[in-house]
């Protein structure tokens, strides 16, 4: 029903044009799938963080999406894809505010109109900045992150997109093979996130001790939402409902499956446990590698790429210790290294037999399997240029935003201790944490917000009189227990459990930050 409606609308819009309604409908659906990756990222990051900063990461990913949409409409699309710019580095303002962007063939493919191409590419940019802002995890202020997002989109993402995909970009003319964004999306977000974390500085030592994801179910949910969206991300980059799109989706599925299994098995050798986080990490890393390669290689090469990516990215998580950079969500190991692996895979396994399946790029040759030996140094030069440019410019942007009064990028030490949900957002991903703030902690202001839990509301919910409940929530009943989770923790973790309603079935609330 929904798909048929989309096709009818598409045909109505395009009845006077040469575009195929099926191609247009496919990219509309793919755009929506890529957009759905935003909540996937938010859930993934939230699950990977400590409970006390879980909502702040959902907020920053969501808000960066809004900033990116504005920037892309304002001048982002023009700076990345304006076809009249000839400097090879960045576009001009010929399409400022989407001027003259309507029903002419898009700069990226003659199969779809420019307006649809602009929307689809906007979703790529939104996902990229969503990955990037993960670099602030548990210690970065959200307002400066939004300012940085706007400038980063303008000075980093738009040039990178121009290099690889603009018909006048130096990478495009050089012969770089980057299907869906190994440079702009993956290296941009991974290396950019590393630079952001480097300027931001490490978390406090006590926040680094015995760090574990607070909600692995959210990690799994976010991963599979991302996996779903990635099929639109990679499949849609064929810009039509054609066999190349199907091949890209197949390669994405194959690589993700093998990457997740390999990462999980490598982790098993250490802990003798089948880690869910490990499986999700390997799946994402392989999908990252598939981003630049899925539309260029055959399925057997996707198997090799998935296995290799799962292993390399797993060991790459140790690089943050060698670099002494607190990349808490492993943006560099998964996105930058994964993107590099995918780009270099094209140098060896890209083939014109797959590239020409879209019926458009029939003259483009692949890599070594097509005896195109020079593709290796072309891909390597592109990787080197994107890594260096992204790290340097991102570090400069973050540094100079930090010098602006009121835009210091890091929260105070005390705010880091209580968590960014309390310090920056004022709300929580898990609302039972509010019991301490709303009921047990003294309120010097004497005011009560209508949404907050009070003794009256708890009395009503518990079905007991207020004097009885007051006695149960008295100071002598607030006991600290260190034995609930002590079997699964070491000396650095101190779970705090409070006997809130002791005396009636031993009801307790466990707060572990």
């Amino acid at each position: 029903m929904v798909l048929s409606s989309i096709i009818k609308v598409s045909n109505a819009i395009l009845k006077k044009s040469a575009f195929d309604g099926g191609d247009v409908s496919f990219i509309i659906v793919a755009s929506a799938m890529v957009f759905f990756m935003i909540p996937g990222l938010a859930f993934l990051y939230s699950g990977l963080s400590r409970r006390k900063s879980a909502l702040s990461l959902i907020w920053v990913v969501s808000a960066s999406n809004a900033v990116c949409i504005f920037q892309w409409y304002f001048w982002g699309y023009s700076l990345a894809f304006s076809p009249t710019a000839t400097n090879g580095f960045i576009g001009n303002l010929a399409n400022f505010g989407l001027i003259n962007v309507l029903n002419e063939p898009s700069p990226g493919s003659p199969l779809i109109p420019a307006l649809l191409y602009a929307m689809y590419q906007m979703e790529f940019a939104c996902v990229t900045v969503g990955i990037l802002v993960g670099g602030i995890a548990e210690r970065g202020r959200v307002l400066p992150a939004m300012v940085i997002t706007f400038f980063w989109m303008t000075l980093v993402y738009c040039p990178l997109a121009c290099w690889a995909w603009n018909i006048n970009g130096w990478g495009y003319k050089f012969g770089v093979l980057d299907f869906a964004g190994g440079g702009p999306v993956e290296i941009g977000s991974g290396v950019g996130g590393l630079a952001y974390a480097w300027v931001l500085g490490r978390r406090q030592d006590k926040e680094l001790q015995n760090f574990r994801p607070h909600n692995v179910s959210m990690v799994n949910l976010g991963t599979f939402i991302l996996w779903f969206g990635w099929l639109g991300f990679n499949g849609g980059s064929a810009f039509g409902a054609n066999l190349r799109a199907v091949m890209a989706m197949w390669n994405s599925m194959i690589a993700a499956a093998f990457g997740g299994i390999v990462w999980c098995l490598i982790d098993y050798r250490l802990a003798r446990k089948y880690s869910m986080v490990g499986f999700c990490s390997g799946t994402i890393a392989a999908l990252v590698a598939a981003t630049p390669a899925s539309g260029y290689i055959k399925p057997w090469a996707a198997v090799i790429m998935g296995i290799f990516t799962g292993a390399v990215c797993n060991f790459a998580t140790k690089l943050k210790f060698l670099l002494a950079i607190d990349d808490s969500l492993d943006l560099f190991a998964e996105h930058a290294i994964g993107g590099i692996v995918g780009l270099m895979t094209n140098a060896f396994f890209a083939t014109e037999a797959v590239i020409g399946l879209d019926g458009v790029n029939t003259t483009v040759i692949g890599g070594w399997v097509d005896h195109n030996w020079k593709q290796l140094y072309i891909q390597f030069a592109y990787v080197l240029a994107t890594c260096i440019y992204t790290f340097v410019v991102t570090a400069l942007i973050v540094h100079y935003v930090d010098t602006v009064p009121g835009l210091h990028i890091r929260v105070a030490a005390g705010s880091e201790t209580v968590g960014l949900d309390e310090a920056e957002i004022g709300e929580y991903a898990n609302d039972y944490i509010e019991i301490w703030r709303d009921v047990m902690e003294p309120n010097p202001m004497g005011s009560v917000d209508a949404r907050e839990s009070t003794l009256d509301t708890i009395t009503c919910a518990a079905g007991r009189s207020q004097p009885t409940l007051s006695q149960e929530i008295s100071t002598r009943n607030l006991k600290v227990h260190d034995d609930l989770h002590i079997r699964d923790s070491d000396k650095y973790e101190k779970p705090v459990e409070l006997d809130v309603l002791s005396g009636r079935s031993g009801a307790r609330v466990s707060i572990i930050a």
Side-chain angles (χ1 to χ4, degrees):
M1 180 67 71
V2 175
L3 184 59
S4 62
S5 300
I6 292 174
I7 293 175
K8 289 179 181 178
V9 172
S10 301
N11 287 330
I13 294 173
L14 302 170
K15 62 183 178 180
K16 294 184 179 180
S17 73
F19 301 113
D20 182 78
D23 289 338
V24 173
S25 300
F26 176 66
I27 302 305
I28 291 174
V29 173
S31 299
M33 291 172 68
V34 178
F35 173 74
F36 194 47
M37 295 174 74
I38 301 300
L41 270 175
F43 293 150
L44 174 70
Y45 285 175
S46 177
L48 286 172
S49 71
R50 291 185 186 274
R51 183 178 283 109
K52 62 185 179 182
S53 296
L55 188 63
S56 66
L57 284 168
I58 295 178
W59 190 98
V60 77
V61 171
S62 303
S64 68
N65 178 68
V67 173
C68 181
I69 291 172
F70 165 69
Q71 192 274 351
W72 197 251
Y73 162 75
F74 186 66
W75 62 21
Y77 174 74
S78 188
L79 291 176
F81 291 105
S82 56
T84 57
T86 58
N87 59 65
F89 178 78
I90 193 170
N92 56 30
L93 296 179
N95 300 120
F96 176 85
L98 297 183
I99 295 174
N100 299 322
V101 179
L102 192 58
N103 61 351
E104 66 278 1
S106 74
S109 173
L111 299 177
I112 59 173
L115 189 64
L116 177 57
Y117 182 78
M119 183 179 72
Y120 184 65
Q121 289 292 346
M122 178 185 71
E123 299 306 334
F124 277 46
C126 290
V127 171
T128 305
V129 296
I131 299 169
L132 172 79
V133 295
I136 76 167
E138 303 193 339
R139 78 265 197 207
R141 293 181 62 223
V142 296
L143 176 60
M146 298 303 99
V147 177
I148 289 168
T149 293
F150 184 87
F151 286 109
W152 189 88
M153 276 291 302
T154 301
L155 300 176
V156 178
Y157 184 83
C158 289
L160 293 182
C162 179
W163 296 1
W165 295 325
N166 191 304
I167 56 175
N168 294 312
W170 71 262
Y172 185 89
K173 291 183 174 180
F174 192 39
V176 168
L177 299 179
D178 189 352
F179 184 62
V185 178
E186 307 302 352
I187 292 178
S189 60
V191 174
L194 184 74
Y196 199 154
W198 176 60
V199 179
L200 194 59
R202 299 173 70 231
R203 288 168 289 177
Q204 301 177 69
D205 287 342
K206 62 182 179 181
E207 301 297 329
L208 296 172
Q209 294 167 348
N210 198 38
F211 173 77
R212 290 183 293 182
H214 93 278
N215 192 329
V216 179
S217 297
M218 290 279 280
V219 174
N220 180 266
L221 174 64
T223 297
F224 276 83
I225 290 175
L226 286 171
W227 196 341
F228 171 79
W230 233 302
L231 298 180
F233 199 101
N234 291 346
S237 292
F239 301 114
N242 52 58
L243 209 52
R244 192 182 187 192
V246 179
M247 182 65 78
M249 296 171 77
W250 256 114
N251 288 334
S252 301
M253 296 293 284
I254 292 170
F258 279 90
I261 291 169
V262 168
W263 189 305
C264 189
L265 291 176
I266 291 175
D267 282 354
Y268 180 82
R269 88 190 196 283
L270 297 175
R272 290 296 185 268
K273 304 289 184 183
Y274 298 103
S275 168
M276 185 75 257
V277 174
F279 178 83
C280 291
S281 298
T283 299
I284 291 172
L287 286 167
V288 167
T291 299
S294 58
Y296 290 117
I297 63 177
K298 292 185 176 182
W300 60 264
V303 173
I304 298 173
M305 181 179 68
I307 294 172
F308 188 72
T309 303
V312 170
C313 291
N314 182 291
F315 291 112
T317 59
K318 310 301 186 291
L319 290 175
K320 61 187 176 186
F321 303 111
L322 296 176
L323 298 172
I325 298 177
D326 185 13
D327 182 13
S328 54
L329 299 179
D330 286 320
L331 304 183
F332 181 75
E334 295 208 36
H335 293 276
I337 299 299
I340 292 170
V341 170
L343 285 167
M344 298 311 297
T345 297
N346 289 338
F348 297 101
F349 302 126
T351 174
E352 58 185 346
V354 174
I355 300 171
L357 290 176
D358 59 5
V360 175
N361 297 284
T362 55
T363 60
V364 179
I365 59 175
W368 282 21
V369 296
D370 288 345
H371 307 292
N372 181 23
W373 315 116
K374 68 178 182 180
Q375 197 63 43
L376 180 61
Y377 74 75
I378 291 175
Q379 298 295 109
F380 181 77
Y382 175 66
V383 166
L384 194 63
T386 53
C387 287
I388 294 174
Y389 178 82
T390 300
F391 189 89
V392 172
V393 178
T394 303
L396 290 173
I397 291 172
V398 177
H399 169 73
Y400 283 111
V401 168
D402 189 38
T403 63
V404 177
L407 291 180
H408 52 281
I409 61 175
R410 183 164 182 150
V411 299
S415 297
E416 186 179 342
T417 299
V418 300
L420 267 64
D421 289 0
E422 174 73 29
E424 289 277 286
I425 309 301
E427 298 165 338
Y428 303 92
N430 304 284
D431 60 1
Y432 65 77
I433 292 178
E434 292 190 7
I435 291 176
W436 175 266
R437 186 188 69 174
D438 297 339
V439 179
M440 302 170 194
E441 186 179 41
N443 186 354
M445 301 300 294
S447 62
V448 177
D449 189 282
R451 70 174 180 81
E452 293 181 343
S453 302
T454 65
L455 196 57
D456 291 333
T457 59
I458 290 181
T459 300
C460 181
R464 275 173 283 172
S465 64
Q466 183 167 323
T468 302
L469 194 64
S470 298
Q471 179 64 23
E472 293 182 2
I473 308 181
S474 63
T475 303
R476 59 187 174 83
N477 282 330
L478 299 183
K479 301 176 183 179
V480 177
H481 300 272
D482 290 325
D483 60 344
L484 180 63
H485 301 283
I486 200 68
R487 291 170 295 176
D488 299 322
S489 62
D490 62 23
K491 62 181 180 180
Y492 296 116
E493 186 178 58
K494 297 183 182 302
V496 178
E497 186 181 321
L498 303 170
D499 261 341
V500 179
L501 301 178
S502 61
R504 183 181 183 184
S505 69
R508 294 180 295 188
V509 174
S510 179
I511 302 175
I512 305 173

